[in-house]
Amino acid sequence: MKSGFLSVSGAAKTFGAATVLDGVDLSMGRGEFISLLGPSGCGKTTLLRIVAGLMTPDQGKVALDGEDITRRPPHRRDVSVVFQNYALFPHLSVAENVAFGLKARGAAKDAIAPAVTKYLGLVQMSAFAGRSIKALSGGQQQRVAVARALAVGPKLLLLDEPFSALDRKLREAMQIDLKRILREVGTTAIFVTHDQDEALTMSDRIAVMHRGRIEQLGTPAEIYHSPATPFALGFVGLSTQLPGKVVRAADGMVEIETAAGPIRARANFIPGSAVLVGVRPERIAIGEAKANRIEAALADAAFQGARVQLHFAAPAGGQILAEAPILPAQAGPGTRLDLSWDVEDTLVYPAPDLAA
Amino acid sequence: MSKAGRFDPVLLLAVPAVLYLALVYGIPLLVLLGRSMLAGGAPSLAPFIGFFSDGFSWIVIGNTIRIAVLVTLLCLVIGYPTALALARAKGLAQALILVAIILPLSVGVVVKAFAWQIVLRRDGVVSQIMTGIGLWDEPQRLLFTEAGLVIGAANVFVPFMILPIYSVLKLIDPRLGEAAATLGASPVYRFFKVALPLSLPGIVTGIAFVFSMAASMYVIPNLLIGDRFQTLATMTGRSFLFMRNEQLGSTTAVVLLVLTVAVVVASAALSKRLGGAS
């Protein structure tokens, strides 16, 4: 499955003095759903445009289904795009929009109508076939855009933040719908988003992008539980982060001195290394006695329904947060609580270079 | 939609323009119409019946429409690609094209006429090029011909075709072309199925501008083709200035007015319908 159906190698792109894409490699299998996740300006949309053929990389290659398509124009790539603003043709009806790609490819007339019916049905927009695009809501336009992109039977479907303009409820419904539709059609897809929840919910694998590079490519669980870099730790999910210095190292174990106290972890660093310690909030127990223990003063508690998120006063350059089903009894701002977690749940990274 | 039937006070902003046009244009026009119909003392259609029963009048109407249509077509053929390039251009290139389009408007028609004489005479630039590349067997004079008139008039009016088309093209979302491309549409297919239909309102506006100006031009035919060739506009001018025939002049003026108003109103209606679809 993870063979190179789509393979991007060494893709680089600069605009003037700005390096937007800094040598990106990405390989994905047929039928796979990969999200490119990162903040705005990380290069994810540039990478998508290069794969679509809407932009040519300065360096690197793009191959799809065994063919080098690096310099092939977009209309001969078999790569459909669902754009952020939908980009539906305003002068055409819903059905004409869905039929556009088939007509452009010179499909037989009697093959077009059944395909339009099929894909409008798939996105539950059959009742709107004759409507004008302008008469549709944002969510409906989104469905038509997906049907239009899928109707040509593309080898690869690219989605550029397609749900960012929708309200939260509709967005979540569309995420589930899109997954169902892509499963039914069996389409290989790349999904660009800056929304980590969206990426975690929908993807087979996630590529976390930062400053024109892919920092980590892995399953949502891998990304969440074993983030490869401090950026992945910080961008995906919440975490406690404490800067420190390795004071002892032996047998794959290190002892780290932090402002909150000594912390032990499984890692290989030479003594004296500046490091960053990370822990996911749900791994931290309150008032128990696990291997790594610190004491911290409660600063703020955010009620989130099923859980309460607890923020603690943290040493410079760090943050401490934990989660609990309910607010601990008699706890208020300033209350000092015992926080502890297992050695196995302790993540250690080389201290991020703040200047970079 | 919910405001239908209710008066929008913003419409009052049009009052100064309406008053101005009524004073300097509408009222004199009514006087003109009155002169042509009240010539015998009582209202009568006799001047129009007389005009339309004269064979020469039909030649003049034919001349007017033919020249206006040819000028409009030439402007469209030259103007559309220019508008397309202008909408795509950025920064300095765009500024240069815009200057090249708009600057000639500041050069008077009389000055242009001297330039045309250089270009259109028997040993002029056009004639030399055409014989040079072998399309013409011998040098020909374009000056004082209908072809010369069409070329000269299009030269004056082409900005009025380019600018409305450009302003519509500029507003088309570039993602639409990209979406069409990723759906498998070739550049030519994209142009005919996306850019062209979406720019129709601009084309219609440009046609209305150029047609009405070309149908009513007076100075350009005088300079480029002379008295032997009459259009409704030159005939109106001759009637008032040389023949002192106010009745004929007002009649031809009214016929010309009806003709251009019909084209402008029809194109406005067409534009509204096309605009409603985009």
Side-chain angles (χ1 to χ4, degrees):
Chain A
M1 167 132 165
K2 286 177 185 172
S3 65
F5 178 66
L6 170 77
S7 126
V8 178
S9 45
K13 184 82 187 173
T14 55
F15 295 112
T19 300
V20 180
L21 219 51
D22 191 9
V24 165
D25 299 312
L26 178 67
S27 178
M28 66 188 290
R30 197 187 290 269
E32 204 179 3
F33 188 115
I34 284 189
S35 288
L36 304 181
L37 174 66
S40 59
C42 72
K44 56 192 193 296
T45 295
T46 303
L47 179 56
L48 178 122
R49 291 176 68 80
I50 284 172
V51 172
L54 299 170
M55 203 179 265
T56 314
D58 298 335
Q59 284 164 41
K61 274 175 63 174
V62 182
L64 179 64
D65 204 9
E67 292 176 86
D68 184 344
I69 58 167
T70 313
R71 313 229 156 242
R72 191 181 288 186
H75 63 279
R76 294 199 283 112
R77 285 195 178 204
D78 257 343
V79 176
S80 294
V81 183
V82 175
F83 289 91
Q84 188 169 7
N85 65 352
Y86 321 130
L88 294 171
F89 304 120
H91 58 301
L92 301 179
S93 72
V94 168
E96 286 166 339
N97 263 276
V98 177
F100 185 93
L102 292 168
K103 281 188 188 158
R105 287 158 189 245
K109 257 207 173 113
D110 51 356
I112 293 176
V116 170
T117 308
K118 176 186 163 190
Y119 285 97
L120 278 181
L122 202 60
V123 298
Q124 294 155 8
M125 287 293 291
S126 304
F128 297 84
R131 294 274 184 99
S132 153
I133 291 302
K134 281 188 293 187
L136 302 183
S137 71
Q140 290 167 337
Q141 292 194 20
Q142 188 57 70
R143 288 169 185 276
V144 176
V146 170
R148 181 180 69 172
L150 285 174
V152 295
K155 284 180 181 166
L156 180 63
L157 177 69
L158 307 178
L159 303 112
D160 186 9
E161 309 223 16
F163 304 144
S164 60
L166 306 179
D167 64 62
R168 191 180 156 186
K169 269 236 159 95
L170 190 54
R171 191 163 65 221
E172 286 170 358
M174 284 297 296
Q175 287 167 9
I176 293 166
D177 260 18
L178 181 66
K179 264 207 104 166
R180 167 186 64 81
I181 290 163
L182 293 182
R183 205 168 41 237
E184 281 176 33
V185 182
T187 307
T188 313
I190 298 180
F191 188 96
V192 163
T193 182
H194 64 266
D195 181 336
Q196 46 152 320
D197 293 328
E198 203 163 81
L200 291 171
T201 310
M202 300 186 67
S203 321
D204 295 324
R205 286 193 295 161
I206 298 173
V208 179
M209 291 191 69
H210 184 44
R211 291 185 182 137
R213 292 175 167 278
I214 293 180
E215 294 230 339
Q216 186 174 11
L217 177 63
T219 64
E222 282 166 7
I223 301 274
Y224 185 79
H225 293 302
S226 328
T229 65
F231 175 79
L233 171 76
F235 193 76
V236 181
L238 299 166
S239 55
T240 289
Q241 296 179 17
L242 293 167
K245 189 176 253 182
V246 175
V247 288
R248 253 184 297 280
D251 306 327
M253 292 288 291
V254 290
E255 192 177 317
I256 300 153
E257 194 60 56
T258 73
I263 289 169
R264 281 158 53 78
R266 276 187 208 291
N268 287 303
F269 283 95
I270 50 170
S273 310
V275 293
L276 182 75
V277 173
V279 193
R280 290 298 187 192
E282 70 278 4
R283 302 287 167 173
I284 297 178
I286 298 166
E288 288 179 37
K290 295 189 174 179
N292 284 320
R293 263 176 78 176
I294 60 173
E295 201 189 58
L298 188 60
D300 194 16
F303 180 69
Q304 296 197 318
R307 321 166 290 192
V308 182
Q309 211 171 71
L310 305 170
H311 296 256
F312 296 88
Q319 58 186 37
I320 301 175
L321 59 98
E323 281 176 359
I326 52 165
L327 192 64
Q330 270 115 43
T335 311
R336 295 191 74 80
L337 293 171
D338 275 332
L339 306 177
S340 65
W341 64 91
D342 289 329
V343 168
E344 280 67 28
D345 293 331
T346 312
L347 307 160
V348 188
Y349 305 95
D353 184 359
L354 294 176
Chain B
M1 303 292 162
S2 60
K3 277 189 178 173
R6 207 178 298 170
F7 181 73
D8 183 351
V10 174
L11 293 181
L12 289 174
L13 293 174
V15 166
V18 169
L19 282 180
Y20 174 74
L21 284 177
L23 200 65
V24 305
Y25 184 67
I27 292 169
L29 208 64
L30 283 176
V31 171
L32 201 66
L33 184 66
R35 277 189 191 165
S36 90
M37 290 179 67
L38 291 170
S44 151
L45 285 173
F48 290 97
I49 294 166
F51 177 78
F52 284 118
S53 55
D54 183 349
F56 181 68
S57 304
W58 289 103
I59 293 175
V60 171
I61 292 173
N63 285 347
T64 309
I65 294 175
R66 187 172 63 255
I67 292 295
V69 166
L70 288 174
V71 169
T72 307
L73 281 179
L74 185 57
C75 283
L76 186 59
V77 168
I78 296 170
Y80 196 94
T82 314
L84 215 53
L86 187 60
R88 184 72 71 85
K90 290 190 180 83
L92 186 65
Q94 187 181 44
L96 286 177
I97 300 176
L98 266 175
V99 166
I101 292 165
I102 292 170
L103 205 60
L105 289 176
S106 66
V107 178
V109 170
V110 178
V111 177
K112 282 199 180 102
F114 285 105
W116 294 330
Q117 300 206 350
I118 296 168
V119 171
L120 300 175
R121 65 190 184 208
R122 194 179 300 280
D123 58 347
V125 178
V126 174
S127 181
Q128 281 181 14
I129 289 174
M130 295 303 264
T131 48
I133 60 176
L135 279 174
W136 288 355
D137 292 334
E138 54 188 43
Q140 286 182 36
R141 174 177 56 81
L142 281 170
L143 204 59
F144 307 119
T145 67
E146 281 189 47
L149 175 59
V150 170
I151 293 170
N155 171 221
V156 178
F157 299 140
V158 77
F160 299 96
M161 184 64 82
I162 296 173
L163 293 176
I165 296 175
Y166 158 67
S167 65
V168 171
L169 283 175
K170 199 181 49 171
L171 292 178
I172 298 177
D173 181 358
R175 301 269 148 145
L176 294 180
E178 295 184 347
T182 61
L183 289 168
S186 67
V188 173
Y189 192 91
R190 257 138 55 197
F191 173 74
F192 283 106
K193 295 294 180 179
V194 180
L196 188 61
L198 287 174
S199 62
L200 274 179
I203 295 177
V204 170
T205 307
I207 287 176
F209 276 164
V210 173
F211 183 89
S212 54
M213 288 191 298
S216 57
M217 61 186 174
Y218 174 74
V219 177
I220 301 170
N222 265 330
L223 292 170
L224 280 180
I225 198 161
D227 282 347
R228 287 170 301 122
F229 185 85
Q230 289 294 321
T231 65
L232 286 167
T234 57
M235 199 166 152
T236 307
R238 278 171 64 83
S239 308
F240 281 114
L241 297 173
F242 304 122
M243 292 149 64
R244 303 280 169 200
N245 186 341
E246 280 200 2
Q247 195 194 347
L248 178 61
S250 20
T251 306
T252 50
V254 168
V255 172
L256 175 59
L257 184 73
V258 169
L259 179 69
T260 50
V261 165
V263 169
V264 171
V265 167
S267 59
L270 190 61
S271 176
K272 200 173 168 193
R273 237 190 69 200
L274 296 169
S278 66

